[in-house]
Amino acid sequence: LGQLEAKITAQGEAELKAFNEFTAWCDDASRNTEYEIKTATASKEKLTAAISKAAGDIESASSKIEELAGGIAGDEADLKSATQIRDKESADFKASEAELMESIDTVGRAINIIEREMRKNPAAFAQVDSKNLNSVIQTISTVVDAASFSTADKDRLTALVQSKDNTDSDDEELGAPAAATYESHSSG
């Protein structure tokens, strides 16, 4: 019986040792699992905060994208409008330029005719009837309007023509002889 008691005691001690090792392992595994749970919970909170921030960033970026898309649409409409205006102004300019070039050509031809006539009879231009000078002023005014001169330039040109008109009137008042009077006296 003593042997049996020693055998049972030895088996009991072996089982106690195995139980103690298993309990220690369970305690370690339990502690490690608790730490992993705490770490995972903290990580989950950080990730949830990151997700919330990312969702806010997405919403902010989406509203900014919509705002920029609206701005782009507005800019494209402005560009289209500006292009239409520029095209219209370009067409108006080309028409005005053509009209102005035609007026310049007409004035150039008139100058050539006057120069040719003055070479034939230099005193003929001085004999222009100053009473008809208003029609000349009106004609020049029309050319000036077509040329789109500034108001100041128009006033200066009108003053120049009117000063010529006044000079002719002064000559008549002083009794200045007509240029044709001297033409017949020249022995050219």
Side-chain angles (χ1 to χ4, degrees), residues 160-173:
L160 174 69
V161 173
Q162 288 175 344
S163 70
K164 172 66 179 144
D165 184 26
N166 290 341
T167 303
D168 289 345
S169 297
D170 291 345
D171 288 346
E172 290 173 5
E173 289 175 7

Side-chain angles (χ1 to χ4, degrees), residues 94-156:
K94 287 177 182 174
S96 295
E97 181 183 33
E99 186 177 328
L100 182 60
M101 294 305 288
E102 184 179 321
S103 297
I104 290 172
D105 184 50
T106 302
V107 170
R109 287 192 311 247
I111 289 171
N112 288 336
I113 291 170
I114 291 171
E115 286 176 348
R116 191 176 27 206
E117 292 300 318
M118 286 183 65
R119 274 187 247 122
K120 289 180 186 175
N121 188 3
F125 191 67
Q127 295 176 6
V128 171
D129 184 9
S130 63
K131 293 174 185 146
N132 291 330
L133 201 54
N134 285 336
S135 66
V136 173
I137 291 172
Q138 187 176 11
T139 303
I140 290 174
S141 177
T142 304
V143 171
V144 168
D145 288 340
S148 299
F149 284 140
S150 69
T151 305
D153 290 340
K154 288 179 188 178
D155 292 343
R156 277 186 250 159

Side-chain angles (χ1 to χ4, degrees), residues 167-188:
T167 303
D168 289 345
S169 297
D170 291 345
D171 288 346
E172 290 173 5
E173 289 175 7
L174 296 174
T181 307
Y182 289 104
E183 185 177 317
S184 62
H185 295 291
S186 64
S187 57

Side-chain angles (χ1 to χ4, degrees), residues 70-84:
I72 289 171
D75 290 345
E76 287 176 350
D78 290 347
L79 176 63
K80 184 178 179 181
S81 174
T83 301
Q84 289 174 342

Side-chain angles (χ1 to χ4, degrees), residues 9-73:
T9 306
Q11 284 179 352
E13 286 176 3
E15 288 295 322
L16 180 64
K17 183 179 174 187
F19 177 76
N20 286 338
E21 286 177 3
F22 179 74
T23 303
W25 178 83
C26 285
D27 289 344
D28 287 344
S30 175
R31 246 181 268 120
N32 287 339
T33 305
E34 285 179 27
Y35 289 134
E36 287 175 5
I37 290 171
K38 284 182 183 178
T39 303
T41 302
S43 178
K44 177 187 168 210
E45 290 172 3
K46 287 180 185 177
L47 292 174
T48 302
I51 289 170
S52 296
K53 183 182 180 304
D57 290 347
I58 288 171
E59 189 175 321
S60 172
S62 294
S63 66
K64 187 161 187 159
I65 287 171
E66 289 175 12
E67 180 182 318
L68 291 173
I72 289 171

